[in-house]
Amino acid sequence: MGALDEGHFCSELENGVKLGCIELSFEEEPETIAIEDAVKVLMQGLGEDVNREGLKKTPFRVAKALREGTRGYRQKVKDIVQGALFPEAGLDNAVGHAGGAGGLVVVRDLDLFSYCESCMLPFQVKCHVGYVPSGQRVVGLSKLSRVADVFAKRLQDPQRLADEVCSALQHGIKPAGVAVVLQCLHVHFPNLESVFLDSNHQGWVELLVSSGSGVFENENANIWADFWSLLRFRGINVEKTRVTDTSDHHWCPSQSSVGAIATFKVESVNPGMVTAVASILRSLGEDPLRKELVGTPARFVQWLMNFQNSNFNMKLNGFVSDNGDSFKGKHIHSELNLSFWSQCEHHLLPFYGVVHIGFMCTEGSNPIGKSLLQSIVCFYGFKLQVQERLTRQIAEMISPLLGGDVIVVVEASHTCMISRGIEKFGSSTATIAVLGRFSTDPAARAKFMQSIPNTSVSGR
Ligand SMILES: Nc1nc2c(ncn2[C@@H]2O[C@H](COP(=O)(O)OP(=O)(O)OP(=O)(O)O)[C@@H](O)[C@H]2O)c(=O)[nH]1
Ligand SMILES: [Zn+2]
């Protein structure tokens, strides 16, 4: 069982005398309990009832997700590489591609997830690792991915992640050289204004970083040309958003001028919630005073505050539709790809995607503008949610405005199913809510469905 599953703790008295090991389950470990307590403070800060059905187990789930997501602090590279170096004839110390073990080896498209150290949200990593074997031996291919995962399962910055993986492999395998390329994707930070202004939001911020050691140390070395060629074969677009100097470049939207967080003033952030996040960092084995982490608790709280339990009803500014309630002469009107972000109430992790809305109206009229529908979608998105409830709430909200015949389809990617747990990259969930004629007329439903374009839902 992994370190997270079976805690082995030796209780110590003040003078360091060990009392002997007591077996603590994951639930009983002090770090888990501390994170659960901190998550309860965060949920109360959002105005939520921690005892509400659906939220009861959230503190524990979040503790489990965060500790699994940062297990890299407790793993050692040598345990992975040791015993996985296999003797292989070939070029000894020279570097070339003449047969045998002398040639460049590249493992491509390793899907990883890491935690952004600026905002504590998971970010997606497409990792490509290359090395030039030497010393008459090669490493087990899977170990390149396992070592990369040790450093990904921490609070990270893309460039530091690439450098740490590169250096660990260089020291662990002692090859002629190592090259690491990471294509990183950070979820975009919406805020109410920006989502309305530009509803075809790009859901992702992309960044490509690289790191090299030994024969790859010089990024102009011709062996890099071989490496990039082996990536291009896979259609990997290595030029896009390539940043070499990331020192002053904040890739995290929470640090950029347009991110949602930039619109909050730090002093307006609930200090009790900030303290709670700092204690979570400590429970994960991090130092909240590390310079890259100093602002992180406030930024994470600012992200969370997007989803506070605002129970105010949608201010429709007296909006009344003249949509009437008779079908005659009515046709199906579709408003498609309304973007939304929400926060899964089970894991406090984002889920995001698009909403498609259909309703009946007389030819040529449109009783409700797209931006008002976008407002409704955003207000129900910006809560702790489950996708089924979000879908139903949108339908129930717009139904009386539009004569009662509505259909709502939500397509979303759930970070909690992609970055942890079942880790199903690329998976997405679709939900439907129908009222009025759309609940009784399959042909009306089918006609609306045909109007939905066939595009990816990942928001990329
Ligand atoms: N129906 C529904 N389930 C959701 C939504 N968001 C997250 N979940 C699920 O909530 C469930 C929580 O299950 P638990 O077993 O309590 O928590 P868990 O151990 O973290 O679950 P895993 O994700 O399977 O590891 C998971 O199956 C999630 O996939 C949602 O919007 N709708
Ligand atoms: Zn971030």
Side-chain angles (χ1 to χ4, degrees):
M1 297 186 75
L4 284 186
D5 306 312
E6 198 55 53
H8 296 278
F9 282 84
C10 301
S11 57
E12 292 192 357
L13 299 179
E14 284 70 50
N15 57 8
V17 173
K18 285 194 191 301
L19 272 183
C21 283
I22 45 169
E23 299 280 319
L24 282 181
S25 69
F26 175 72
E27 289 81 346
E28 294 162 327
E29 288 174 11
E31 292 82 354
T32 303
I33 295 167
I35 296 174
E36 288 185 74
D37 292 343
V39 171
K40 284 176 192 153
V41 170
L42 297 177
M43 288 162 65
Q44 281 150 355
L46 292 177
E48 286 287 358
D49 166 10
V50 294
N51 297 311
R52 159 164 87 76
E53 201 46 49
L55 291 186
K56 272 186 208 143
K57 275 183 61 187
T58 297
F60 174 68
R61 289 189 199 104
V62 172
K64 197 170 108 186
L66 283 174
R67 292 194 72 200
E68 281 167 356
T70 55
R71 62 174 176 264
Y73 290 121
R74 290 177 292 284
Q75 290 173 327
K76 292 199 176 37
V77 170
K78 69 174 174 35
D79 299 345
I80 294 171
V81 175
Q82 209 164 8
L85 292 169
F86 305 103
E88 192 61 43
L91 286 173
D92 190 357
N93 293 322
V95 170
H97 302 315
L104 173 57
V105 176
V106 180
V107 176
R108 302 169 295 189
D109 289 326
L110 297 169
D111 283 318
L112 305 171
F113 258 86
S114 187
Y115 269 91
C116 173
E117 66 181 2
S118 294
C119 70
M120 276 178 74
L121 287 183
F123 66 91
Q124 197 168 332
V125 183
K126 193 69 102 175
C127 171
H128 315 288
V129 184
Y131 83 107
V132 178
S134 75
Q136 308 277 353
R137 58 189 192 171
V138 293
V139 69
L141 296 174
S142 66
K143 310 308 176 188
L144 299 175
S145 173
R146 287 185 185 279
V147 168
D149 199 55
V150 166
F151 297 94
K153 289 289 180 286
R154 299 182 181 191
L155 286 159
Q156 277 290 5
D157 157 82
Q159 188 58 59
R160 193 175 72 246
L161 175 54
D163 294 341
E164 288 179 346
V165 172
C166 184
S167 147
L169 289 171
Q170 184 64 44
H171 290 99
I173 307 170
K174 297 188 180 32
V178 177
V180 174
V181 167
L182 305 180
Q183 294 173 283
C184 301
L185 292 171
H186 193 303
V187 70
H188 187 91
F189 269 62
N191 57 20
L192 287 178
E193 293 68 36
S194 59
V195 174
F196 298 150
L197 290 178
D198 146 27
S199 61
N200 57 350
H201 244 328
Q202 283 311 310
W204 296 89
V205 174
E206 294 194 45
L207 180 67
L208 182 140
V209 292
S210 59
S211 187
S213 64
V215 293
F216 288 100
E217 182 95 32
N218 171 355
E219 64 173 20
N220 300 314
N222 57 32
I223 193 154
W224 269 107
D226 301 335
F227 183 92
W228 294 124
S229 303
L230 292 176
L231 295 192
R232 244 188 295 279
F233 292 175
R234 293 273 308 164
I236 294 162
N237 175 357
V238 292
E239 289 319 311
K240 218 171 153 196
T241 59
R242 192 167 158 216
V243 174
T244 42
D245 171 14
T246 56
S247 49
D248 62 349
H249 174 87
H250 284 298
W251 85 300
C252 173
S254 71
Q255 300 235 45
S256 72
S257 55
V258 293
I261 283 185
T263 57
F264 282 82
K265 297 276 167 290
V266 180
E267 53 279 4
S268 69
V269 184
N270 175 327
M273 293 172 79
V274 172
T275 307
V277 178
S279 89
I280 290 176
L281 290 173
R282 268 191 296 280
S283 303
L284 295 176
E286 261 290 5
D287 169 13
L289 299 178
R290 168 160 80 85
K291 69 175 172 39
E292 299 87 351
L293 295 181
V294 168
T296 299
R299 286 191 288 267
F300 183 66
V301 171
Q302 286 157 353
W303 158 265
L304 274 184
M305 291 315 280
N306 273 312
F307 304 97
Q308 49 189 315
N309 183 14
S310 54
N311 54 8
F312 70 90
N313 289 319
M314 275 291 305
K315 289 190 179 52
L316 297 173
N317 306 328
F319 173 86
V320 177
S321 87
D322 61 357
N323 198 29
D325 55 4
S326 64
F327 299 152
K328 68 179 180 312
K330 290 266 174 87
H331 82 129
I332 295 174
H333 181 95
S334 302
E335 285 295 355
L336 305 174
N337 290 317
L338 300 165
S339 48
F340 83 94
W341 280 261
S342 194
Q343 190 86 329
C344 144
E345 70 180 23
H346 296 137
H347 297 101
L348 297 194
L349 284 171
F351 67 97
Y352 44 84
V354 288
V355 179
H356 311 300
I357 293 175
F359 53 89
M360 313 301 284
C361 69
T362 40
E363 194 74 40
S365 81
N366 179 359
I368 189 169
K370 181 164 188 166
S371 66
L372 182 51
L373 288 177
Q374 179 69 68
S375 314
I376 292 169
V377 164
C378 280
F379 278 110
Y380 285 107
F382 282 113
K383 293 178 183 316
L384 296 190
Q385 275 285 15
V386 289
Q387 186 171 331
E388 295 90 334
R389 185 190 317 146
L390 169 66
T391 313
R392 174 179 54 78
Q393 286 175 332
I394 294 170
E396 288 171 350
M397 176 66 177
I398 61 176
S399 171
L401 307 178
L402 295 167
D405 307 312
V406 296
I407 179 168
V408 176
V409 171
V410 176
E411 296 181 279
S413 305
H414 285 251
T415 310
C416 72
M417 290 168 63
I418 296 170
S419 71
R420 57 152 300 283
I422 57 170
E423 292 192 12
K424 291 293 171 263
F425 297 109
S427 64
S428 63
T429 301
T431 44
I432 303 182
V434 288
L435 290 168
R437 180 170 167 188
F438 287 99
S439 59
T440 55
D441 179 352
R445 284 201 300 274
K447 195 155 186 319
F448 170 71
M449 296 293 197
Q450 280 151 21
S451 71
I452 299 176
N454 173 15
T455 50
S456 110
V457 294
S458 64
R460 284 189 62 186

